[in-house]
Amino acid sequence: MEIKTNWWGWGDVRKTYDLTRRHDFWPHLRSRLNIPDQPILPPPSMEEINISASRLSQAVLEQLKNYLPAAKIDLSKETRLSHTYGKSYHDLIRIRRRIFPQAPDAVLFPGNEKELEKIVAWAAENEIALVPWGGGTSVVGGVEATVSENQKGLVALDLKRMNRVIKIDRESMLADCEAGIRGPKLEQELQKSGLTLSHYPESFEYSSLGGWVATRSAGQQSTKYGKIEEMVESIRLITPTGWIETPHVPAAANGPDLDQLMIGSEGILGVISRVRIRLKSIPEQRFYTALLFRSFQDGGAVVRKILQSGILPATIRLSDAEETDFIFSLVEEKTNRLANGFQKIGLKYLEKRGFFPQKRSFMILGLEGTAASIKADWQQIRKIARPYKPFNLGKSAARQWYDHRFENPYLRDILMNYDILVDTLETATEWENFWNLYEAGRKAILDSFEKLGIKGVVTVHLSHVYPAGTSLYFIILATPHVGEELNEWWEIKRMASDAIVSNGGTISHHHGIGLDHRPWLTRELGASGVGIMRNFKNALDPKGIMNPGKLLPDD
Amino acid sequence: MEIKTNWWGWGDVRKTYDLTRRHDFWPHLRSRLNIPDQPILPPPSMEEINISASRLSQAVLEQLKNYLPAAKIDLSKETRLSHTYGKSYHDLIRIRRRIFPQAPDAVLFPGNEKELEKIVAWAAENEIALVPWGGGTSVVGGVEATVSENQKGLVALDLKRMNRVIKIDRESMLADCEAGIRGPKLEQELQKSGLTLSHYPESFEYSSLGGWVATRSAGQQSTKYGKIEEMVESIRLITPTGWIETPHVPAAANGPDLDQLMIGSEGILGVISRVRIRLKSIPEQRFYTALLFRSFQDGGAVVRKILQSGILPATIRLSDAEETDFIFSLVEEKTNRLANGFQKIGLKYLEKRGFFPQKRSFMILGLEGTAASIKADWQQIRKIARPYKPFNLGKSAARQWYDHRFENPYLRDILMNYDILVDTLETATEWENFWNLYEAGRKAILDSFEKLGIKGVVTVHLSHVYPAGTSLYFIILATPHVGEELNEWWEIKRMASDAIVSNGGTISHHHGIGLDHRPWLTRELGASGVGIMRNFKNALDPKGIMNPGKLLPDD
């Protein structure tokens, strides 16, 4: 049975984030932000929103019906509305403010590559823009309905019917999959064969394999298993000038790596229709625990040393002081998991030991492998951490994170009822530049709050880690002036992004460029780097119908 | 002091391959090939070879002297001759047959990026082709002096003066290096800081960092440390349309990966001038041992299972029966290393245990890491191998391989004195296709011997291994008809390459495309894949001066 998803917010309409057993959360949040007593920004109903009529002519639609069953050409308001935006704050605030300047003129649901090819040819012939659509969970405007003037319409190309695992090659531990398959179905089918991809982005339940590949996605276990770009053996890409399939080999010296040109192409070159993915055996054992450090600096040094010792934890996730306080405010009381640990030892005792609020730093550490490898790694990690004297909060504290690791976006929907701005920014840098970028990013965001005259908080964690450096994930919570959300969001985003790129960070570690990050891409890659991409785009999509306006900056 | 290298053969002119303590080798070889009693094809002397005069006009040279000291513009016959070919059999047989239709019109030795940029601009202005030159060890014609009709000359651009480690960032374990640095100097400088790149191709002593990157090189420890493409953080590329430097970040979601476009570009887009490389700590311990299996099939199954269990041996190298017999024929008698093992247990005993000549399969296994990780890995490997009952030949047998691992090319020079054809072909495929490709490749080569009416042997090993598949390395030894070496070499190469590409292998796993593999590239990548590369080339090098004729097939 298909899950009914929420068009104005996150995920399954039947689910929410459960705050009932987290009594510390609202008081903590209210101490930092200007929050109204009651919700002031309710989600919209579809009736409140007007969208313009579909621009597709009857003739063009008739032509399309030669290639695609009429039932798979959806012109309904409901479907068009739910395919207008992704799932960023920028998207959701526009939905709540009922801002819908454009919607796709239709949503198409091809069932196979043949239909997909025909649709792309039809679109090219009729100068209709195509937005490839996987789970629609982009947080950078990657699937927004934006059409340029020289196009006669725009359709969203929803691949959800193309969701099969076509073949599992157990001997080579590979699987051929249609690009529209989403996380849960994919893992379910692989795990039946004792295999796993182990790619778990926060959007896992709703995002698709094709979307992961198109955006260079990273999962919560990427430190061990790599970003999606390391899991791809071969890609089939359907472009307006024909299709390309990369060789089926584990490695080669056959010129530039064409897979790596398609990975991260965000739909602007064509539609990823099929991916051959590299699998692993399901790990024999998993060991997740939580440690507390006296400072983010201490924890950061330990993370770096672990990675540089050659150990690859599945998960290593370190929160700065501000985020650690939020995590503590979200501890569930009833389950007594993290709470248990604290009740036992007492918060006062922790402070006596030097673990202070606004200073201490929370780490989730997850090891996966054989019993022997986990034992050896854990031994060495303890040795590395020992000089910093962390406090071991134990498995139950880690369990709480693990069990709720896909749920944060539901909390955002609750906060947005109170007109709280909730955004995230993610970057990466080399270790040598880590503290500089951390400070500069935080300062820029705090400065933006001050400039705007609003209250706000910024929390940071690192969660995708490398021997050479780390990702940095900023979460922004603020209370903008009512009605000024969009402008104020953009000002925060602009100041933060300027600071990130000026201080040696990438504009995105795993969310992608989409619409929102384009203004910084040239600064990061140089005009020549962007020129190479533009050239690539022009060669494969000379009419510019593929996901127009995304990834590439305006000339 | 600079090593004097051999212009007609391999490496250091003072070195050779020592056969004096390997009495079994010639008898074994003579039993398989048609070898003359005495050397019949001596290396040439420079005096015997005529090359045409440099086509560079005085005016063009004068212009160049504004950018490069006159002493670094070399027009001598000796230098031009030694920059005409790489180090393939195809190259060395032409040298021995005194075939020099072209030589570069000059060899330039820039000392820094500024000079390099000026030279590239000068070449573009004067329509002179440039061949970027690192160690000159290409075995696929990657550095051959080939100029097309519309160019007014060709110069080799030798980067050997650009050989500095510019900066080591110990905190991030990164180093910025000039591209011309060669293996030994690079490792020496890194190891002073306790760090290593651990990239050890057979050409290690003479090849350069820039060359490794330009060709997607693989080292003998690539199974653990990855091919060179996984060791690159950032590249600076000087092209005829300007220079590009990729971002300094460990990972990003900023569109297609431009590093992976430059890696493997084989000089056709520009000159790689600088590379930021990712380093490791020098491993605490190394454990190398040798195992003997009853068959290549048995050994192959064990290799696959080891990789798929999550273990990454630094080296895992498995020889088929034919190669195993050659390895045994090359055992040094005086040192008694591998021999000792055999003396103890006795060859007859081995046969009694089912390890037969023409059947048994030799494995080198190398583990690197901490004492604890090596112990855990070795324990698990023994468990995986146990059902196949291998014989442990011990560390001394592995030591023999390790100590001589860069020396095989010297043996080729000895064999060529007897007009023995010595070539290698390398490919990779997924495990499911491994045996098929192994059989098809061998059959095609054996068929080519039969067709040509010559004696020959083909040996195979796998040495770069992945969870999804493996490389396959074919060594060909044959005795062509005297005077027909070039034609017969090409016929063997053609038949083997056809079989490889028709049977799902890549045309190259780590040697590259160069001139020799171009005819198969379109079959591997499709016309659209090649079209993408051609498009890049035209954008960055519109006049086509960069390494003309390499990588891209003729239209």
Side-chain angles (χ1 to χ4, degrees):
Chain A
M1 200 196 66
E2 204 178 338
I3 289 162
K4 188 160 169 58
T5 54
N6 185 348
W7 71 278
W8 54 260
W10 186 253
D12 185 335
V13 292
R14 299 163 308 179
K15 287 192 189 167
T16 183
Y17 192 94
D18 186 4
L19 283 170
T20 51
R21 289 169 292 133
R22 289 158 161 140
H23 295 297
D24 288 345
F25 177 67
W26 279 115
H28 181 68
L29 198 63
R30 287 189 186 279
S31 75
R32 313 301 305 273
L33 301 176
N34 249 334
I35 305 176
D37 294 335
Q38 296 297 324
I40 58 170
L41 191 63
S45 71
M46 285 221 178
E47 294 71 40
E48 297 172 80
I49 291 165
N50 293 312
I51 55 172
S52 44
S54 173
R55 288 162 294 176
L56 300 186
S57 70
Q58 209 50 43
V60 160
L61 281 171
E62 285 306 318
Q63 194 188 339
L64 184 60
K65 284 176 193 162
N66 294 324
Y67 317 129
L68 192 65
K72 304 305 172 192
I73 303 169
D74 196 333
L75 298 161
S76 71
K77 179 177 169 185
E78 179 173 353
T79 306
R80 291 173 57 207
L81 267 182
S82 65
H83 286 78
T84 300
Y85 290 127
K87 297 294 184 189
S88 68
Y89 173 79
H90 182 207
D91 296 329
L92 302 186
I93 189 67
R94 284 182 290 175
I95 295 174
R96 295 216 185 213
R97 288 290 175 205
R98 287 72 167 163
I99 298 169
F100 277 79
Q102 307 194 50
D105 296 297
V107 183
L108 310 182
F109 296 90
N112 54 54
E113 287 178 304
K114 198 172 231 169
E115 289 178 359
L116 204 48
E117 273 192 275
K118 295 283 192 183
I119 292 169
V120 173
W122 163 85
E125 189 189 331
N126 292 293
E127 290 170 58
I128 290 164
L130 293 174
V131 178
W133 190 279
T137 59
S138 172
V139 289
V140 292
V143 292
E144 186 168 332
T146 50
V147 62
S148 61
E149 281 169 22
N150 53 356
Q151 277 141 1
K152 297 186 177 136
L154 175 141
V155 303
L157 200 50
D158 189 324
L159 300 195
K160 75 175 177 188
R161 292 175 62 219
M162 292 179 61
N163 65 353
R164 289 180 308 143
V165 174
I166 297 162
K167 182 193 158 189
I168 296 180
D169 168 2
R170 285 187 53 82
E171 193 175 352
S172 316
M173 308 225 303
L174 296 165
D176 287 334
C177 305
E178 290 182 324
I181 193 166
R182 298 188 184 184
K185 185 178 175 200
L186 176 64
E187 278 297 330
Q188 197 183 10
E189 301 223 357
L190 298 176
Q191 289 181 20
K192 273 187 222 160
S193 298
L195 298 168
T196 174
L197 181 66
S198 288
H199 183 75
Y200 295 104
E202 192 172 59
S203 62
F204 172 76
E205 294 166 291
Y206 303 100
S207 53
S208 71
L209 173 59
W212 301 337
V213 173
T215 58
R216 294 190 171 268
S217 163
Q220 291 167 344
Q221 278 83 20
S222 79
T223 298
K224 184 178 179 74
Y225 300 117
K227 290 180 72 194
I228 196 73
E229 52 263 43
E230 295 169 63
M231 302 180 182
V232 170
E233 177 92 346
S234 169
I235 297 174
R236 197 178 288 175
L237 181 79
I238 296 176
T239 84
T241 47
W243 62 271
I244 308 174
E245 183 166 353
T246 55
H248 295 174
V249 290
N254 53 11
D257 185 342
L258 299 179
D259 282 316
Q260 296 298 332
L261 297 175
M262 299 177 193
I263 300 171
S265 61
E266 299 193 8
I268 73 164
L269 305 177
V271 192
I272 295 167
S273 63
R274 189 185 276 216
V275 187
R276 179 169 289 192
I277 47 178
R278 296 174 180 159
L279 309 174
K280 307 101 196 164
S281 296
I282 298 170
E284 271 177 36
Q285 290 201 12
R286 289 195 175 87
F287 170 76
Y288 280 71
T289 192
L291 301 172
L292 196 63
F293 290 87
R294 283 173 184 74
S295 70
F296 194 42
Q297 282 83 345
D298 278 7
V302 170
V303 171
R304 177 172 65 77
K305 288 174 184 180
I306 290 171
L307 266 286
Q308 293 182 348
S309 79
I311 295 176
L312 295 177
T315 295
I316 191 158
R317 191 180 178 91
L318 183 78
S319 297
D320 75 348
E322 192 77 77
E323 188 164 292
T324 298
D325 287 351
F326 266 95
I327 289 168
F328 285 5
S329 83
L330 277 165
V331 169
E332 282 185 85
E333 282 139 40
K334 197 172 155 198
T335 64
N336 280 339
R337 278 176 182 159
L338 181 57
N340 265 343
F342 281 99
Q343 279 159 13
K344 263 187 237 147
I345 46 117
L347 277 172
K348 282 212 175 135
Y349 173 73
L350 264 189
E351 291 189 26
K352 223 170 171 179
R353 292 273 305 269
F355 297 93
F356 300 109
Q358 289 289 304
K359 275 288 282 177
R360 58 199 175 197
S361 176
F362 181 75
M363 178 191 286
I364 299 286
L365 174 75
L367 303 174
E368 302 190 353
T370 61
S373 77
I374 288 174
K375 193 180 156 194
D377 286 355
W378 178 227
Q379 228 163 29
Q380 206 183 330
I381 288 170
R382 277 189 301 185
K383 197 169 134 195
I384 291 168
R386 196 165 298 139
Y388 301 89
K389 296 181 183 150
F391 189 85
N392 191 341
L393 293 166
K395 290 187 190 180
S396 60
R399 183 84 205 198
Q400 174 145 313
W401 169 78
Y402 195 87
D403 288 348
H404 299 289
R405 69 198 197 280
F406 303 136
E407 292 176 12
N408 285 326
Y410 291 106
L411 178 56
R412 178 177 58 171
D413 288 338
I414 296 172
L415 300 185
M416 286 187 72
N417 290 336
Y418 294 82
D419 203 8
I420 297 171
L421 180 157
V422 186
D423 200 14
T424 63
L425 291 164
E426 30 75 65
T427 178
T429 192
E430 296 167 355
W431 285 113
E432 198 184 41
N433 187 48
F434 172 52
W435 296 112
N436 170 49
L437 184 60
Y438 171 70
E439 298 285 1
R442 266 179 58 82
K443 182 174 184 305
I445 294 163
L446 295 173
D447 285 352
S448 75
F449 300 152
E450 197 180 322
K451 182 178 170 192
L452 295 168
I454 62 176
K455 277 194 161 186
V457 194
V458 52
T459 81
V460 185
H461 62 255
L462 46 91
S463 44
H464 309 278
V465 193
Y466 308 86
T470 180
S471 70
L472 275 159
Y473 198 98
F474 295 82
I475 300 176
I476 297 164
L477 297 167
T479 32
H481 294 100
V482 177
E484 290 300 316
E485 299 88 356
L486 268 173
N487 293 336
E488 295 187 354
W489 165 78
W490 180 245
E491 188 60 16
I492 298 166
K493 174 94 180 163
R494 192 187 61 71
M495 287 176 69
S497 299
D498 279 350
I500 285 171
V501 174
S502 313
N503 283 281
T506 174
I507 190 63
S508 176
H509 172 266
H510 60 274
H511 287 168
I513 302 300
L515 288 175
D516 296 351
H517 287 150
R518 288 182 310 157
W520 291 275
L521 195 64
T522 307
R523 274 165 70 185
E524 179 163 339
L525 300 181
S528 47
V530 171
I532 288 173
M533 289 193 196
R534 187 167 284 125
N535 183 60
F536 196 24
K537 161 87 172 167
N538 293 340
L540 294 179
D541 177 26
K543 290 183 174 174
I545 61 162
M546 292 307 311
N547 211 9
K550 312 308 173 351
L551 182 54
L552 292 173
D554 299 325
D555 284 307
Chain B
M1 200 197 67
E2 205 178 335
I3 290 163
K4 186 159 172 57
T5 54
N6 186 347
W7 70 279
W8 54 260
W10 186 253
D12 186 332
V13 291
R14 298 164 308 180
K15 287 194 190 166
T16 185
Y17 192 93
D18 186 3
L19 284 170
T20 52
R21 287 170 291 132
R22 290 159 161 137
H23 294 297
D24 288 345
F25 177 67
W26 278 114
H28 180 68
L29 199 63
R30 285 188 185 280
S31 76
R32 312 304 303 274
L33 301 177
N34 249 335
I35 306 174
D37 295 335
Q38 295 297 322
I40 58 169
L41 192 62
S45 71
M46 286 224 178
E47 293 71 41
E48 297 172 78
I49 291 165
N50 293 313
I51 55 173
S52 45
S54 172
R55 286 162 296 176
L56 301 186
S57 71
Q58 208 50 44
V60 159
L61 282 170
E62 285 306 317
Q63 195 188 341
L64 184 60
K65 284 176 192 162
N66 294 324
Y67 317 127
L68 193 64
K72 303 306 173 193
I73 304 170
D74 196 333
L75 299 161
S76 70
K77 179 177 169 185
E78 181 173 354
T79 306
R80 290 173 58 207
L81 267 183
S82 65
H83 286 77
T84 301
Y85 290 126
K87 297 294 183 188
S88 68
Y89 172 80
H90 182 207
D91 296 330
L92 301 186
I93 190 67
R94 284 182 290 175
I95 295 174
R96 294 214 186 215
R97 289 288 176 205
R98 286 74 167 163
I99 298 169
F100 277 80
Q102 306 194 53
D105 296 297
V107 183
L108 310 182
F109 296 90
N112 54 56
E113 286 178 303
K114 199 172 231 169
E115 289 179 358
L116 204 48
E117 273 191 276
K118 295 283 192 181
I119 292 170
V120 173
W122 164 85
E125 190 189 329
N126 293 292
E127 290 171 58
I128 290 164
L130 292 174
V131 179
W133 189 280
T137 59
S138 172
V139 288
V140 293
V143 292
E144 187 168 331
T146 49
V147 62
S148 60
E149 281 168 21
N150 53 357
Q151 276 142 2
K152 300 191 175 130
L154 174 141
V155 303
L157 200 51
D158 188 323
L159 299 196
K160 74 175 178 187
R161 292 175 63 219
M162 292 179 60
N163 65 353
R164 288 180 309 143
V165 174
I166 297 162
K167 183 194 157 187
I168 297 179
D169 167 1
R170 285 188 53 81
E171 194 174 350
S172 315
M173 307 224 300
L174 295 165
D176 287 335
C177 304
E178 290 181 323
I181 193 166
R182 298 188 184 183
K185 186 180 175 200
L186 177 64
E187 278 297 330
Q188 196 182 14
E189 301 223 358
L190 298 176
Q191 290 182 18
K192 274 187 221 158
S193 298
L195 298 168
T196 174
L197 182 64
S198 288
H199 183 75
Y200 295 104
E202 192 171 62
S203 63
F204 172 77
E205 295 166 290
Y206 303 101
S207 53
S208 71
L209 173 60
W212 300 337
V213 173
T215 58
R216 295 191 170 266
S217 163
Q220 292 167 343
Q221 278 84 23
S222 79
T223 297
K224 183 177 178 73
Y225 301 117
K227 290 181 73 193
I228 197 73
E229 52 261 43
E230 294 169 64
M231 302 181 183
V232 171
E233 177 92 346
S234 168
I235 298 175
R236 197 179 288 175
L237 181 79
I238 298 177
T239 83
T241 47
W243 61 272
I244 309 173
E245 183 166 352
T246 55
H248 295 175
V249 291
N254 53 10
D257 185 342
L258 298 180
D259 282 316
Q260 296 298 333
L261 163 68
M262 299 173 194
I263 299 171
S265 62
E266 299 193 7
I268 73 164
L269 304 178
V271 192
I272 295 167
S273 64
R274 192 185 275 215
V275 187
R276 179 170 288 193
I277 46 177
R278 297 175 179 159
L279 309 174
K280 308 102 195 165
S281 296
I282 297 170
E284 271 177 35
Q285 291 202 11
R286 289 194 175 88
F287 170 75
Y288 281 73
T289 193
L291 300 172
L292 195 63
F293 290 87
R294 283 175 185 72
S295 70
F296 194 42
Q297 281 84 342
D298 278 7
V302 170
V303 170
R304 177 172 65 78
K305 288 175 184 181
I306 290 171
L307 265 287
Q308 293 183 348
S309 79
I311 295 176
L312 294 178
T315 295
I316 192 159
R317 192 180 178 89
L318 182 77
S319 297
D320 74 348
E322 192 77 77
E323 188 164 291
T324 298
D325 287 350
F326 267 96
I327 289 168
F328 284 4
S329 82
L330 276 165
V331 169
E332 282 186 85
E333 282 137 40
K334 199 173 155 197
T335 65
N336 281 338
R337 277 174 183 161
L338 181 58
N340 265 343
F342 281 99
Q343 279 158 13
K344 259 187 241 146
I345 47 121
L347 278 172
K348 282 214 175 134
Y349 173 73
L350 265 188
E351 290 189 26
K352 223 170 172 178
R353 292 274 304 270
F355 297 94
F356 300 109
Q358 289 290 305
K359 274 289 281 177
R360 58 201 175 197
S361 175
F362 181 75
M363 179 192 284
I364 299 285
L365 175 75
L367 303 173
E368 301 190 355
T370 61
S373 76
I374 288 174
K375 193 181 157 193
D377 287 354
W378 177 228
Q379 227 161 30
Q380 206 184 329
I381 288 170
R382 277 188 300 184
K383 198 171 133 194
I384 291 168
R386 196 164 299 139
Y388 301 90
K389 297 181 183 150
F391 190 85
N392 191 341
L393 293 166
K395 290 185 190 181
S396 60
R399 184 79 203 206
Q400 173 145 313
W401 169 78
Y402 195 87
D403 288 349
H404 298 288
R405 69 199 196 280
F406 302 136
E407 292 175 11
N408 287 327
Y410 291 107
L411 179 56
R412 179 177 57 171
D413 288 338
I414 295 173
L415 300 186
M416 285 187 72
N417 290 335
Y418 293 82
D419 203 8
I420 298 171
L421 181 158
V422 187
D423 200 13
T424 63
L425 291 164
E426 30 75 65
T427 180
T429 193
E430 297 166 353
W431 285 114
E432 198 185 40
N433 188 48
F434 173 51
W435 295 114
N436 170 49
L437 184 60
Y438 171 70
E439 299 285 1
R442 264 180 59 82
K443 181 173 185 308
I445 295 165
L446 295 173
D447 285 351
S448 75
F449 299 153
E450 197 180 323
K451 182 177 170 193
L452 295 168
I454 62 175
K455 280 195 160 184
V457 193
V458 51
T459 80
V460 184
H461 62 255
L462 45 91
S463 44
H464 309 278
V465 193
Y466 307 86
T470 180
S471 70
L472 275 160
Y473 198 97
F474 295 81
I475 300 176
I476 297 164
L477 297 168
T479 31
H481 293 100
V482 176
E484 290 300 316
E485 299 87 358
L486 268 173
N487 293 337
E488 296 187 354
W489 165 78
W490 180 246
E491 188 60 17
I492 298 167
K493 174 93 180 162
R494 192 187 61 70
M495 287 177 69
S497 299
D498 279 351
I500 286 171
V501 174
S502 313
N503 284 280
T506 172
I507 190 61
S508 175
H509 171 266
H510 59 275
H511 287 168
I513 302 300
L515 286 176
D516 296 351
H517 287 150
R518 288 182 311 157
W520 291 274
L521 194 65
T522 307
R523 274 165 70 185
E524 179 162 337
L525 300 180
S528 47
V530 171
I532 289 171
M533 289 193 196
R534 189 168 283 126
N535 185 60
F536 279 134
K537 163 83 173 169
N538 293 339
L540 293 178
D541 176 26
K543 291 183 173 173
I545 62 163
M546 292 308 311
N547 210 10
K550 313 306 175 353
L551 182 54
L552 293 173
D554 298 326
D555 282 308

